Amino acid sequence: MHHFKQNFISQRFADIVKALKAEKKINSYAQLAKNLNYRPQSLNEILKGRRNVNIEVLYQFFQNYTVDPRQLFDTFHSSEELQDNKEGNASHLPANPFPRIKFIESSQILNWMLNYNDPSFYENLHHIEIPIKKDEGQDFISICYGGNMMHPTLEHNDILIAKKKNVSSGELTNGEIYIVLSLHGLHILRLDEYSDDNKIILQGDNQSKIKLQIHESEIHAMYQVTAKITPKLGNQ
C-alpha cells in the first residue's frame, strides 16, 4: 500500500490552521472551509496529513485571514519563531529570508549558451526568490521552459529551478530532468542513461520518445531540475 507523504507547505498550513482554531480566530473548520470555498472533507484530509493544499486554497486563506506568509513559506525558521517575532518576543527576522536565484529569460538563452562560463553574464541577470537553503543558493539557476518535448511533465512557460551538477563526478541520476548546455545547443530532457563510453542519453516525456546522445566532452554544463513553478492553477 502506497504511503502518502504530505509536503512541507501543507504541514505548515495545517499547523497554522490548528493554531488559529486554538486561539478562537477560527470558529470551526466547517466555517473555514466555507470561507475558503473548499470542501470540508478535503480540508479535513489536509489537516490529517492525507492531502496537499493547493494554490487556490492558499490564495483564499491569505485573503480571509491575517497571517504572515512567512509562517507558511519560510523554511529557515520554525512557526513558533515567526509567531514570536510577530508578537515582538524574538530577535528581528530578516525582511526577506529567501535566497536570490538567477533567472535566465527566454530572450537570454542564446547569450547564456555563448557566455555560460562568463561571470559577468550572471551578474546582470534578474533574480527570483524561493524558499531553499541559503547555503545552496549560489548553485541554482532558474529558467523559463519552452517547447513540448517534456509534455505533460513540463508545460510551456513553466519556470524551472535547477541545481548545477558535475557530469564526471557521479552526481547524475537516471530518471531526473536536466538542463544541458552542450556543443549541440540547450536541451531540457530526462536522463535515460549515462553509458559506459561516457555518453549521456536523454529522452523526452512526450509520445515521440526520441533519444539524444551527447558525449561528456561535448557538455558545457548540466543542471538538475529540482522544482517548477507553473502559471496554471491545479484542480484538487
Side-chain angles (χ1 to χ4, degrees), residues 116 163-174 178-182 191 193-195 197-202 214-224:
Y116 69 94
K163 184 177 182 181
K164 192 170 186 179
K165 294 292 182 177
N166 190 318
V167 180
S168 59
S169 65
E171 291 186 349
L172 305 184
T173 304
N174 290 347
Y178 288 89
I179 300 170
V180 183
L181 279 175
S182 76
L191 178 61
E193 182 184 353
Y194 190 12
S195 65
D197 55 353
N198 296 328
K199 291 182 180 179
I200 65 165
I201 302 173
L202 303 165
I214 305 176
H215 193 273
E216 179 185 306
S217 62
E218 300 174 316
I219 298 173
H220 300 318
M222 282 187 70
Y223 296 80
Q224 181 180 336

Side-chain angles (χ1 to χ4, degrees), residues 104 107-122 181-183 185-186 220:
I104 301 170
S107 60
Q108 297 172 311
I109 288 177
L110 179 59
N111 196 19
W112 182 38
M113 293 167 59
L114 297 173
N115 300 281
Y116 69 94
N117 224 13
D118 183 357
S120 64
F121 169 76
Y122 299 95
L181 279 175
S182 76
L183 294 176
L186 181 141
H220 300 318

Side-chain angles (χ1 to χ4, degrees), residues 118-162:
D118 183 357
S120 64
F121 169 76
Y122 299 95
E123 291 173 1
N124 297 319
L125 294 176
H126 291 120
H127 295 77
I128 63 173
E129 294 159 354
I130 59 171
I132 61 173
K133 292 181 180 179
K134 280 188 174 181
D135 57 358
E136 295 183 354
Q138 297 302 315
D139 298 325
F140 283 82
I141 58 100
S142 56
I143 187 171
C144 186
Y145 175 74
N148 60 7
M149 288 293 290
M150 288 303 299
H151 179 80
T153 308
L154 302 179
E155 299 286 353
H156 189 69
N157 287 332
D158 281 351
I159 295 175
L160 308 182
I161 312 300

Side-chain angles (χ1 to χ4, degrees), residues 10-66:
S10 300
Q11 293 172 12
R12 274 276 177 97
F13 173 78
D15 290 342
I16 293 169
V17 166
K18 291 172 184 176
L20 292 175
K21 178 73 162 52
E23 296 167 5
K24 302 188 183 303
K25 295 179 180 178
I26 293 176
N27 294 326
S28 68
Y29 293 140
Q31 183 59 48
L32 171 63
K34 183 177 180 180
N35 291 344
L36 301 180
N37 194 26
Y38 198 54
R39 294 179 303 166
Q41 299 91 332
S42 297
L43 176 62
N44 188 50
E45 288 179 355
I46 295 173
L47 298 179
K48 290 184 177 181
R50 299 172 184 168
R51 175 188 286 262
N52 286 325
V53 66
N54 63 41
I55 191 69
E56 295 99 325
V57 171
L58 294 180
Y59 176 78
Q60 292 296 331
F61 182 66
F62 288 119
Q63 289 290 312
N64 284 277
Y65 297 92
T66 305

